[in-house]
Amino acid sequence: MKKAMALASVVCVVVLSAVTAAWGQAAASSMPQIVEKDGRHALLVDGKPFFMLGGQIHNSSSWPGMLPAVWSAVGAMHANTVEMPIYWEQIEPRQGQFDFTLVDTLLQQARDHHVHVVFLWFATWKNGSDHYLPQWVKLDPTKHPNIVGRNGQPVDSPSPINPAGMELDSKAFAAVMAHLKDADPQHTLLMVQVENETGAWGSVRDYSPAAQKVFEGQVPAELLTPTVLKQLNRPVDAKGTWTEVFGADADEYFQAYSVAHYVGQVAAAGKAVNPLPMYVNAALRDPITNPKASTYESGGPTDNVIPIWKAAAPALDLVAPDIYIPDSTKALKVMDLYTRPDNALMIPEIGSSAEYTRYIYADLAHGGIGFSPFGIDDNGRAAGAEADAARLAPLAQEYAVLGPMDRELAQWAFDGKIKAIVEKEDHANQTLDLGSWQMTASFGGAGAGGRGARAGATANPAGAAATPATGRLLVATLGENEFVLLGTNCRITVAPAGANKGKAWHFLKVEEGHYDNGTFNLLRIRNGDETDGQGVRFDAGMTAVLHMTLYTR
Ligand code: DGJ
């Protein structure tokens, strides 16, 4: 029997039909914004927290002929937002002459497909290089000099010590943002990424004579505040040249400040005409080993220089990690590092293979505002709908369930009500502490959560580590004894803890169903074999949503 049930304790009931109705309309709606409360964040869309279930398309897919395949992928994965590059080289093919037809096409087609967009401004920096500069800039090196390496070698990366280039990029970005203000009163566009994976590969900084002169000057005042200096582990009254203040880190910090200042100016120019949320993405460094700056993209918003980016580029709302690190210890550490009272966690790129899907739950548990696997479309391979569905199945499984409850999830994340477990590579049991209760997830490898999973098992024996870790559990605490659980590929046992420790207990009710339009729709009540004995099962290959209440005797 199917019965619609209102979940009385859901804090934020959202009328999704109103949101859906707004898609096609040209009426102005409220500006998307990122808000902060008690050190946590929300992306407000139409005035309410929204979680971006996104997908980023390939770099060369924002062209009209590529879009049918893009929409096929977006539909197959049930995304609510698509991240799409827009190209300075296409938008300003001749200096001062702007062409916004492509941007307009992207917006219109996104509306037709009922999704939001995030635009990625591919301009001075794309993966540390200058390859998206318009030809009229590329062919005039005075407009955009590249970095000179320590030994005088040319480096394929734009110099950030370039006020003229900064002005050209700022003007172009401001023109795009001004156009978007008029072209998008309904705010199909949620956020804008300014540049892409800034910094330099192949040189820690620019050693050209012009850059050297600036490097030998004083560290700018924005970095010499007690807050910034403390976060960089320097004396709060430090001042002087880059080398005097930052010693062995001077080269990297100089590059980070220079890039951040440049990008911050570009963002500020755009924001002055259209104050949408703006962010930058980072090519990460290893989050645990503190590697040498010469081994990663130097000057981008890596975890060690976040305070520099915050101080030098206040027009940016956040700095965001591109996560291509499958290892769960490292991936979770990255999320810890980018979740700060002054920085909302948003994951604008992450691998799209099955193992990465489980990190959606970790993102939500960190209070994150969005998640967007990279390379969702077929990239010109004419793969077709069936291939799209097969390629995107792990994500689609999750997005299909999370999509109709994205507003609830966003509100719970904002309120700090979500905790999560992602299966580790050793498949060991993990326990969530929920105050008066504990929940332990066990994993049985491939097909686990199915019959083979054993409650109470510890790490699987050697050899099992090769089995991909895909299990996951999300728990939203709605009341002392009331929880919403989402999960796949694991099994849960519950134990009384804290004030309930030692008490007799049982499930009061375990309802399985799905959310839609702010309502929990009941599929069945799980009882008997489905709760007793081995615990509560979440099968592989499907995401179940449970509304669970517990009681003590
Ligand atoms: C990270 C970049 O930000 C993307 O634009 C793309 O180049 C991917 N790497 C490719 O893996």
Side-chain angles (χ1 to χ4, degrees), residues 59 88 121-134 138 144-147 154-160 169 195-202 255 259 262-263 283 297-298:
N59 293 167
W88 186 9
W121 175 238
F122 282 12
T124 300
W125 280 273
K126 164 66 177 80
N127 296 21
S129 297
D130 66 357
H131 303 174
Y132 279 85
L133 293 177
K138 273 184 186 160
H144 251 295
N146 266 348
I147 278 180
V155 176
D156 179 20
S157 185
S159 171
D169 193 339
E195 316 292 341
N196 189 83
E197 291 194 349
T198 57
W201 295 98
Q255 167 79 354
V259 178
Y262 184 124
V263 179
E297 191 175 13
S298 172

Side-chain angles (χ1 to χ4, degrees), residues 376-396:
I376 59 163
D377 59 302
D378 68 7
N379 203 5
R381 294 191 176 84
E386 246 175 66
D388 283 346
R391 187 178 69 250
L392 298 165
L395 283 163

Side-chain angles (χ1 to χ4, degrees), residues 79-406:
N80 63 22
T81 305
V82 56
E83 295 181 349
M84 316 178 99
I86 56 172
Y87 318 112
W88 186 9
E89 64 176 348
Q90 181 277 325
I91 286 175
E92 194 182 10
R94 278 168 293 283
Q95 188 165 12
Q97 288 181 22
F98 293 96
D99 175 358
F100 297 121
T101 49
L102 185 55
V103 173
D104 291 342
T105 301
L106 300 178
L107 277 178
Q108 188 50 53
Q109 292 201 15
R111 286 178 200 130
D112 293 345
H113 290 86
H114 307 298
V115 290
H116 284 288
V117 294
V118 170
F119 283 155
L120 321 173
W121 175 238
F122 282 12
T124 300
W125 280 273
K126 164 66 177 80
N127 296 21
S129 297
D130 66 357
H131 303 174
Y132 279 85
L133 293 177
Q135 285 187 32
W136 57 270
V137 185
K138 273 184 186 160
L139 295 174
D140 181 351
T142 64
K143 290 195 167 70
H144 251 295
N146 266 348
I147 278 180
V148 175
R150 188 191 280 279
N151 302 315
Q153 77 276 22
V155 176
D156 179 20
S157 185
S159 171
I161 310 296
N162 177 16
M166 186 170 79
E167 198 181 323
L168 292 174
D169 193 339
S170 301
K171 271 191 182 159
F173 186 60
V176 181
M177 293 308 294
H179 174 78
L180 290 169
K181 184 169 194 274
D182 296 336
D184 188 34
Q186 59 270 67
H187 297 303
T188 299
L189 177 63
L190 296 184
M191 303 178 84
V192 181
Q193 178 186 296
V194 190
E195 316 292 341
N196 189 83
E197 291 194 349
T198 57
W201 295 98
S203 182
V204 174
R205 70 167 171 95
D206 187 5
Y207 293 88
S208 67
Q212 188 59 26
K213 198 166 162 219
V214 184
F215 178 74
E216 284 164 11
Q218 301 289 296
V219 173
E222 310 90 287
L223 298 191
L224 297 179
T225 68
T227 311
V228 178
L229 288 168
K230 242 191 256 165
Q231 289 183 42
L232 296 172
N233 298 316
R234 296 310 197 273
V236 291
D237 57 352
K239 57 179 188 294
T241 64
W242 288 90
T243 309
E244 284 164 354
V245 178
F246 296 121
D249 295 317
D251 288 337
E252 182 188 9
Y253 287 10
F254 172 72
Q255 167 79 354
Y257 173 81
S258 308
V259 178
H261 173 72
Y262 184 124
V263 179
Q265 293 298 305
V266 175
K271 245 188 173 168
V273 291
N274 189 355
L276 278 169
M278 291 182 190
Y279 72 94
V280 283
N281 60 335
L284 300 176
R285 64 179 205 143
D286 186 295
I288 290 169
T289 59
N290 194 22
K292 278 186 180 348
S294 55
T295 61
Y296 54 89
E297 191 175 13
S298 172
T302 47
D303 66 84
N304 55 324
V305 295
I306 292 174
I308 295 178
W309 273 82
K310 290 284 169 191
L316 294 169
D317 295 84
L318 61 100
V319 299
D322 290 350
I323 302 182
Y324 294 95
I325 308 175
D327 174 79
S328 59
T329 305
K330 291 187 179 182
L332 294 173
K333 176 73 182 173
V334 166
M335 293 188 214
D336 293 346
L337 291 167
Y338 284 82
T339 305
R340 304 165 37 118
D342 63 356
N343 198 66
L345 177 65
M346 196 278 231
I347 304 178
E349 291 183 40
I350 189 163
S352 58
S353 60
E355 293 98 303
Y356 284 101
T357 306
R358 70 201 202 277
Y359 295 128
I360 302 175
Y361 289 9
D363 185 0
L364 282 159
H366 279 80
I369 61 168
F371 183 88
S372 187
F374 177 80
I376 59 163
D377 59 302
D378 68 7
N379 203 5
R381 294 191 176 84
E386 246 175 66
D388 283 346
R391 187 178 69 250
L392 298 165
L395 283 163
Q397 172 198 322
E398 206 59 53
Y399 279 27
V401 175
L402 269 55
M405 60 185 299
D406 58 3

